[in-house]
Amino acid sequence: MREEEEPSWFARFDEDLPAPDELMPLSQSLITRDLAAAFDIPTHAGAGPGGLPSSGAADGAGGQDMNGGGASSAAGSSGGGGGGGNGDEPARTLKRPRLVWTPQLHKRFVDAVAHLGIKNAVPKTIMQLMSVDGLTRENVASHLQKYRLYLKRMQGLGNGGGGGSHSSGSGGTDAATEHLFATGPSPFLPPGRGPAGPDPYNSAPYAPMPAAHHHHHQVHHPQIGHFHHPAARPLGHYGAGPGNGAGFDHGFLSRAVAGGAPVGPPAMHHRMVGAGAAMGMMAPSSFADDLDLGSRGGGGGAVGGRRELTLFPTSGDH
DNA sequence: ATTCTAATAT
DNA sequence: CATATTAGAA
């Protein structure tokens, strides 16, 4: 009996995710390409209902979540096939297909990192915090690298853009972290510096890549702006809620890179001493993370009130 | 043992 | 390009 347990201390920190819709066990297109290709198995072996729009591309028509069914995607056992008999072997050496870091997933990742703090932002913890079934440490580690790279890449260079200004002026601006855009010369900084983050997230559920067509055809979908979301949350999330007995504080999210960033971290290093046992204490605190909204520019109005408070089931811990 | 960084392969 | 995988170091 394992008694590993994680109460829901750090439970609700996510914003919108587990909507019963997107609650799929991260299986994305399972089945390794090797196998599929080797056996000629259509990447989506018979998944019936609710499956993916065969050809369809993701009509982003406003919809954001559209999964419905429970189809959890067939997992590994593709071998079956008919027949019989054989085929047992796979469950072991099976490599999962590339994990497709979908925006939603990314958000989880970023949020997790942002909430964990540079201190605990390590793959293992992140992975656990994400509670995404199927995610492995390597997955997160790999992505973490990219994420960090991305952050670094934009920290000293506050320009860029298409023109290519290499201005070295690292001006001093506290490059602490801000949103930078990748493509498109749009140096618009939100007037007033509001928390408005130009994060065109939420806009592409992206279907499990239709890898059914061999033919290098990288469906260059409108892969929405890639990374965005610098861990620039309002530093210091301390502030135990009212009535909160636990007085935890996180001195995190402050510096991002060492060695160059002019960020002047006030000496605030709280070391969590104590018990070496294992990790097991994280301060949940109430997170009022703001999320980006997607509406700017034209002004139109439109609806949009889409806010969902969902505490994802912190239950999936393996 | 776990993580980080880099290099490399797909 | 985005991920996965591996290797070496800490």
Side-chain angles (χ1 to χ4, degrees):
Chain A
M1 295 160 173
R2 253 197 191 132
E3 45 144 4
E4 227 140 272
E5 236 328 275
E6 276 114 62
S8 2
W9 333 324
F10 49 66
R12 59 113 84 105
F13 85 96
D14 230 298
E15 260 44 330
D16 38 27
L17 282 155
D21 334 354
E22 203 93 282
L23 192 65
M24 81 137 88
L26 198 187
S27 307
Q28 310 277 200
S29 21
L30 225 46
I31 302 174
T32 100
R33 238 205 330 231
D34 291 277
L35 249 138
F39 283 68
D40 235 57
I41 295 170
T43 350
H44 355 6
L52 339 160
S54 341
S55 38
D59 45 286
Q64 221 182 239
D65 313 281
M66 43 82 147
N67 296 40
S72 328
S73 312
S77 343
S78 23
N86 85 2
D88 9 309
E89 151 126 19
R92 250 183 230 266
T93 358
L94 255 185
K95 275 143 126 103
R96 344 163 149 316
R98 300 170 71 134
L99 203 181
V100 288
W101 283 89
T102 193
Q104 258 89 11
L105 246 175
H106 212 281
K107 199 213 180 297
R108 269 184 102 80
F109 172 86
V110 173
D111 273 3
V113 172
H115 287 144
L116 277 171
I118 254 44
K119 258 154 112 161
N120 306 317
V122 298
K124 202 188 194 180
T125 327
I126 293 170
M127 176 188 65
Q128 294 198 298
L129 228 173
M130 288 173 81
S131 295
V132 177
D133 163 53
L135 232 186
T136 76
R137 191 162 60 70
E138 323 302 338
N139 278 148
V140 176
S142 206
H143 193 65
L144 184 57
Q145 274 202 21
K146 208 188 25 165
Y147 179 66
R148 277 175 161 169
L149 243 196
Y150 158 78
L151 284 177
K152 277 208 175 162
R153 202 110 194 109
M154 68 152 74
Q155 280 213 161
L157 323 166
N159 58 29
S165 346
H166 275 148
S167 14
S168 12
S170 332
T173 52
D174 38 314
T177 34
E178 247 343 323
H179 324 58
L180 265 292
F181 333 100
T183 56
S186 341
F188 318 155
L189 278 209
R193 161 130 43 284
D199 302 11
Y201 262 130
N202 281 16
S203 337
Y206 208 61
M209 63 141 63
H213 322 95
H214 356 114
H215 275 146
H216 25 83
H217 238 130
Q218 261 225 210
V219 237
H220 252 71
H221 252 211
Q223 261 225 255
I224 49 163
H226 267 132
F227 274 49
H228 282 136
H229 243 162
R233 289 261 165 289
L235 282 33
H237 259 108
Y238 350 108
N244 186 330
F248 277 135
D249 58 17
H250 316 154
F252 57 56
L253 269 204
S254 289
R255 61 120 69 42
V257 259
V263 283
M268 57 190 278
H269 287 121
H270 283 134
R271 203 111 219 198
M272 261 187 200
V273 279
M279 52 215 199
M281 53 221 259
M282 300 151 169
S285 268
S286 25
F287 295 119
D289 255 276
D290 46 308
L291 197 62
D292 24 69
L293 75 166
S295 185
R296 52 196 78 92
V303 241
R306 171 182 161 267
R307 207 97 265 179
E308 237 172 73
L309 261 243
T310 63
L311 352 176
F312 66 101
T314 23
S315 33
D317 97 284
H318 16 317

